[in-house]
C-alpha cells in the first residue's frame, strides 16, 4: 500500500484482534445492523462516539458535524435521523456536545473564519436566544462552558421538533432524546437532564435543564 500504509497495518491488526476474540463478528455484522442509539455529536477528533461509550461497531448510528448542530434545513442530518428512526428504529437519540468546543468558542467570540461562519450562525442563534443567561457570567471560560451546554439543550429541542421525531411519537413509537456533554479534560460524559420522550415534555425539560445549566463545571473547572 503506497499511501498511509501505517493506517492499513493498524486496520489489519485491529480486524485480526476482533476476529480472534469473536470469530463470527464481521460475518454477523455484515448481515445486518441493529443499533439502539443514534449519536449526534461534534466532529472534533477528541470525541469519538463509540470509543467514549465503549460500544462496538454495529451498536451506534453516528452523525457528526462541527458543534453538533441540528438545523431544520440540513438534509444530511435530517436524513440520518429519518433512517435511524424509521428504518433502524433506534430507541434513543443522543445529542452530545463537549466542553472546549472550538466551534462554540468561535460563535461566542464572533470570530470571522470564512465559510464556516454561516454554519456557526446556528450556535450564534443559541447565544442570542439565551443572551441574558450568558451575560450574567463573569469570565469567558464560564460563558464558553455554558454555551456548550445551551447549544446541546437547543439541539435536543430541534431534534424533538423534526417532522420525523414528531411523527414517530404521534404513532406511539418509543423514542427518547438525550442531551449530554463530554469533558475533554477527564473523558467523562455528563447528562444535562434534558431527556425528552414526548413533545409535551419539551418546555418543562428545557426549564429544568436551564435551571442546572453551568453548575457542573463552575465549581471545578
Ligand atoms: Co466541538
Amino acid at each position: 500500500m503506497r499511501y498511509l500504509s501505517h493506517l492499513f497495518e493498524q486496520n489489519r491488526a485491529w480486524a485480526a484482534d476482533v476476529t480472534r476474540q469473536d470469530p463470527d463478528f464481521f460475518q454477523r455484522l455484515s448481515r445486518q445492523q441493529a443499533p439502539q442509539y443514534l449519536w449526534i455529536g461534534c466532529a472534533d477528533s477528541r470525541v469519538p462516539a463509540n470509543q467514549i461509550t465503549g460500544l462496538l461497531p454495529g451498536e451506534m448510528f453516528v452523525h457528526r458535524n462541527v458543534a453538533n448542530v441540528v438545523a431544520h434545513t440540513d438534509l444530511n442530518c435530517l436524513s440520518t435521523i429519518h433512517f435511524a428512526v424509521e428504518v433502524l428504529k433506534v430507541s434513543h437519540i443522543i445529542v452530545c456536545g463537549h466542553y472546549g468546543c472550538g466551534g462554540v468558542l468561535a460563535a461566542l467570540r464572533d470570530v470571522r473564519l470564512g465559510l464556516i461562519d454561516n454554519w456557526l450562525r446556528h450556535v450564534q442563534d443559541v447565544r442570542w436566544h439565551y443572551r441574558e443567561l450568558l451575560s450574567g457570567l463573569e469570565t469567558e471560560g464560564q460563558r464558553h462552558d455554558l454555551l456548550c451546554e445551551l447549544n446541546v439543550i437547543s439541539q435536543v429541542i430541534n431534534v424533538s421538533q423534526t417532522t420525523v421525531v414528531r411523527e414517530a411519537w404521534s404513532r406511539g413509537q418509543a423514542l427518547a432524546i438525550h442531551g449530554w456533554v463530554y469533558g475533554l479534560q477527564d473523558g467523562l460524559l455528563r447528562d444535562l437532564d434534558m431527556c425528552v420522550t414526548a413533545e409535551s415534555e419539551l418546555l418543562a425539560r428545557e426549564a429544568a435543564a436551564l435551571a442546572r445549566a453551568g453548575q457542573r463545571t463552575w465549581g471545578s473547572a
Side-chain angles (χ1 to χ4, degrees):
M1 201 59 60
R2 188 171 171 191
Y3 300 111
L4 300 178
S5 57
H6 59 294
L7 295 185
F8 285 86
E9 282 166 25
Q10 286 170 207
N11 167 249
R12 281 193 295 272
W14 171 77
D17 192 45
V18 172
T19 305
R20 198 160 40 244
Q21 293 178 37
D22 182 353
D24 296 328
F25 183 79
F26 292 111
Q27 281 303 312
R28 201 169 57 243
L29 261 192
S30 68
R31 286 191 288 273
Q32 67 158 9
Q33 63 166 336
Q36 291 182 41
Y37 317 98
L38 164 61
W39 174 277
I40 300 175
C42 185
D44 192 301
S45 64
R46 298 164 294 181
V47 195
N50 282 65
Q51 264 172 292
I52 65 179
T53 53
L55 292 178
L56 293 167
E59 294 184 319
M60 182 114 79
F61 203 60
V62 173
H63 176 84
R64 292 168 66 180
N65 61 45
V66 173
N68 41 274
V69 166
V70 178
H72 291 306
T73 52
D74 178 7
L75 273 182
N76 184 354
C77 184
L78 293 178
S79 301
T80 305
I81 295 172
H82 177 258
F83 191 80
V85 171
E86 295 203 5
V87 180
L88 299 174
K89 302 211 181 314
V90 298
S91 309
H92 304 274
I93 299 177
I94 299 157
V95 177
C96 187
H98 65 102
Y99 296 120
C101 183
V104 170
L105 185 60
L108 182 66
R109 288 181 172 169
D110 199 22
V111 294
R112 302 293 165 87
L113 297 169
L115 177 68
I116 197 172
D117 300 349
N118 300 281
W119 182 251
L120 295 178
R121 204 45 255 180
H122 293 295
V123 183
Q124 295 197 301
D125 288 346
V126 175
R127 187 187 70 167
W128 175 257
H129 187 74
Y130 293 116
R131 61 191 179 278
E132 287 182 15
L133 271 178
L134 288 159
S135 67
L137 300 180
E138 288 180 11
T139 69
E140 183 184 65
Q142 290 174 338
R143 286 191 290 276
H144 188 193
D145 284 347
L146 182 60
L147 187 53
C148 288
E149 295 185 2
L150 295 174
N151 184 44
V152 169
I153 291 167
S154 299
Q155 306 313 330
V156 168
I157 293 170
N158 286 348
V159 173
S160 303
Q161 291 179 328
T162 57
T163 55
V164 173
V165 169
R166 293 176 75 186
E167 283 169 18
W169 280 336
S170 70
R171 64 176 175 260
Q173 186 173 337
L175 183 62
I177 322 298
H178 308 261
W180 296 356
V181 175
Y182 175 77
L184 295 175
Q185 293 176 340
D186 58 14
L188 297 176
L189 290 163
R190 284 95 170 149
D191 191 326
L192 294 183
D193 298 321
M194 186 65 194
C195 178
V196 184
T197 60
E199 205 177 351
S200 58
E201 299 172 1
L202 261 184
L203 278 177
R205 286 302 183 182
E206 182 201 29
L210 289 179
R212 294 193 55 196
Q215 295 175 2
R216 288 159 196 82
T217 54
W218 298 348
S220 57

